[in-house]
Amino acid sequence: MCTVQADNAAEEFRRAAGMQGMDLDRGQLAALPALVSAAAAARSPEPAAGNASVYLWGPPGRGKTWLLDTLFESVDIQAKRRLHFHDFFRELHARVFAGYGNPGYRRESAFAAALDQMLGTVRLLCFDEFHVNDPADAAFITRMLRMVLDRGIVLVATSNYAPAELLPDPMFHHLFEPGIALITGNIQVVALDAGVDYRTVPTAGTTARNTNGFAAGHHLRRCAPALLARAGLSLPGPEEAAQLTPGTRTLQALRDDGTQLWFDFEDLCHAQSATSDYLQLASTRRHWVICGVPETGGSSPYGWQRFGNVVDVLYDAGCRLDVIGLPDYDGVFPGTGHPTDLARIRSRFGMLRPVP
C-alpha cells in the first residue's frame, strides 16, 4: 500500500472523529497504522498475508468499538461482517450442533460447513468484545481462529483482555494457550489506553444518547412510587407476569408486553439463564427493567456474572435498561470474576442516569 493511500485511509478516521466533535487521542492515533493496513488487506482480492489482522485490546471506554465501526464503514466492499462476539459464537454453536442426529454427521465437517455458511466469501470479519471465559469454549474458539486465518480473512477484533489474559482462570488457562499462540503469532496485537474512559466524559452527544438506547435507562436505588414516576416507570401487575422460553430454559418475567420486559433479579440472575437467552430476547424487547437487585454482598459471583452479561448484551444491542436496587453501589461490583470484566460492567453501568 503506497503512502498516499495510507494517508487517505488514516484521514477517514480523523474525518469521522471530527464530524462527531472528537479529537483522536494518542492511543487511538497509534492504533491507526495497523487498522489502515488491515483495511488495505481487506480491499485486496488476494488472501490476507500474515499479520494483516488486528487484535485491539485495552480497558473499557477507550474507543475500541468506535475504531472498529469506523474501519468497518470505511472498507467499501460488500464481503464483510461485523458482529458482537456473543452473537457470532451463538450462531456458530447453533449451526454446528444443528446437525446432531443426522446421518453421517461429523463434528469436524459440521464446523467447517457452519463457518462456510456464516462467512461465505467474507474478506473482512470484525468482532467486538472478543473474550474467552468458558473452558468448554476454548478448543472451539481456537479452531475458529485457525480456520479464519487459514482462509485469508482479515480479522479485526476488540477486547478488554490482552491475549495472555484470555480464559484467565488459572485452572483452565492452559486450554486456550494454543489460541493465544495463534493470536500472538499471526495477528497484530495493539494495546489501546490513553488513560481516559470516554464513557464517563460528557460530550456534545450526551443529551441525544440519553434519550435513546442503553443510556436512556436509570438506576433507582429504591423501588419508591416517586422514583418510578421520575423514570417513567410503573409497577407491573400480577396479570402481566409471563413465562418466556427464548432457548431451552423457561424464564419468569414480571412483565412482557412485547416491548418492555421486567425481571426480578432473583428470577433472571439466580436462574440458569444464559447469554444466548438475553440475546434472543433483546432482539425484540427494547426496554428492560431489572428490579430487586440486592446490595453488593447479596448475591453469588455467578449471579453478578449473569447480571454483567445482561448489561453487556443490552449495551451492545442498544436497549434501554432500568435497574432498581443495588442501594449501596459505589462504583465497585463484587464477585470473583476477572478485574477486566468488572471494569467493563462498571463503565457501562455508569452510563445509567441515577434517580436519587
Side-chain angles (χ1 to χ4, degrees):
M1 181 176 182
C2 72
T3 302
V4 172
Q5 288 174 311
D7 288 345
N8 289 343
E11 185 58 33
E12 292 180 12
F13 287 89
R14 297 186 178 92
R15 183 167 54 249
M19 290 176 63
Q20 298 178 42
M22 298 164 45
D23 290 318
L24 297 178
D25 64 31
R26 55 183 173 79
Q28 294 160 354
L29 289 170
L32 290 190
L35 297 174
V36 167
S37 176
R43 293 186 182 101
S44 170
E46 301 297 323
N51 288 334
S53 297
V54 179
Y55 182 94
L56 184 66
W57 74 276
R62 267 52 177 184
K64 299 184 296 296
T65 297
W66 183 88
L67 288 170
L68 181 78
D69 289 342
T70 303
L71 167 73
F72 186 80
E73 292 300 323
S74 73
V75 177
D76 50 351
I77 61 174
Q78 292 192 352
K80 59 182 180 179
R81 285 198 73 180
R82 188 272 192 212
L83 308 98
H84 192 281
F85 196 59
H86 279 314
D87 295 310
F88 180 88
F89 206 53
R90 179 187 63 159
E91 183 180 345
L92 183 59
H93 256 302
R95 289 183 182 273
V96 170
F97 290 105
Y100 270 146
N102 293 342
Y105 176 85
R106 292 176 59 248
R107 179 165 177 167
E108 293 77 12
S109 58
F111 192 101
L115 210 57
D116 279 336
Q117 293 167 10
M118 293 181 66
L119 299 181
T121 60
V122 160
R123 296 283 305 132
L124 174 65
L125 178 61
C126 293
F127 284 150
D128 198 24
E129 300 288 0
F130 186 96
H131 64 278
V132 187
N133 291 331
D134 189 338
D137 293 335
F140 207 71
I141 296 175
T142 298
R143 185 156 185 232
M144 179 273 295
L145 286 172
R146 183 177 292 112
M147 293 181 69
V148 166
L149 294 171
D150 285 349
R151 294 175 187 213
I153 296 171
V154 178
L155 173 65
V156 180
T158 70
S159 181
N160 293 135
Y161 298 90
E165 295 175 341
L166 294 164
L167 193 56
D169 190 324
M171 289 185 63
F172 302 108
H173 180 73
H174 66 283
L175 296 176
F176 195 63
E177 286 178 348
I180 293 170
L182 278 175
I183 294 171
T184 57
N186 299 276
I187 298 176
Q188 297 183 74
V189 177
V190 179
L192 177 63
D193 184 9
V196 179
D197 181 348
Y198 289 103
R199 293 178 190 151
T200 67
V201 177
T203 68
T206 297
T207 301
R209 286 200 305 272
N210 280 346
T211 61
N212 295 287
F214 182 85
H218 306 79
H219 176 202
L220 294 72
R221 294 178 185 264
R222 295 179 294 113
C223 188
L227 301 184
L228 291 170
R230 285 183 213 167
L233 300 175
S234 62
L235 284 172
E239 73 284 356
E240 296 180 90
Q243 289 190 329
L244 306 172
T245 310
T248 59
R249 308 162 185 83
T250 297
L251 302 178
Q252 183 67 43
L254 298 177
R255 170 184 288 156
D256 176 27
D257 62 10
T259 300
Q260 187 185 96
L261 191 54
W262 190 307
F263 282 109
D264 184 271
F265 182 91
E266 179 77 21
D267 294 332
L268 183 65
C269 299
H270 286 170
Q272 292 299 312
S273 59
T275 302
S276 58
D277 300 325
Y278 316 145
L279 286 163
Q280 180 66 32
L281 293 170
S283 66
T284 54
R285 279 73 162 187
R286 308 299 296 168
H287 180 190
W288 289 48
V289 183
I290 303 177
C291 67
V293 183
E295 294 186 352
T296 54
S299 182
S300 68
Y302 300 106
W304 291 122
Q305 184 61 57
R306 290 192 184 99
F307 181 74
N309 290 341
V310 172
V311 171
D312 263 350
V313 167
L314 298 182
Y315 175 85
D316 190 70
C319 296
R320 172 177 166 177
L321 170 63
D322 291 292
V323 173
I324 304 174
L326 203 60
D328 64 339
Y329 179 70
D330 60 0
V332 177
F333 278 95
T336 58
H338 190 277
T340 305
D341 289 331
L342 300 182
R344 185 175 69 250
I345 298 167
R346 180 174 65 248
S347 176
R348 292 177 175 178
F349 190 84
M351 296 179 69
L352 301 181
R353 293 177 287 181
V355 179

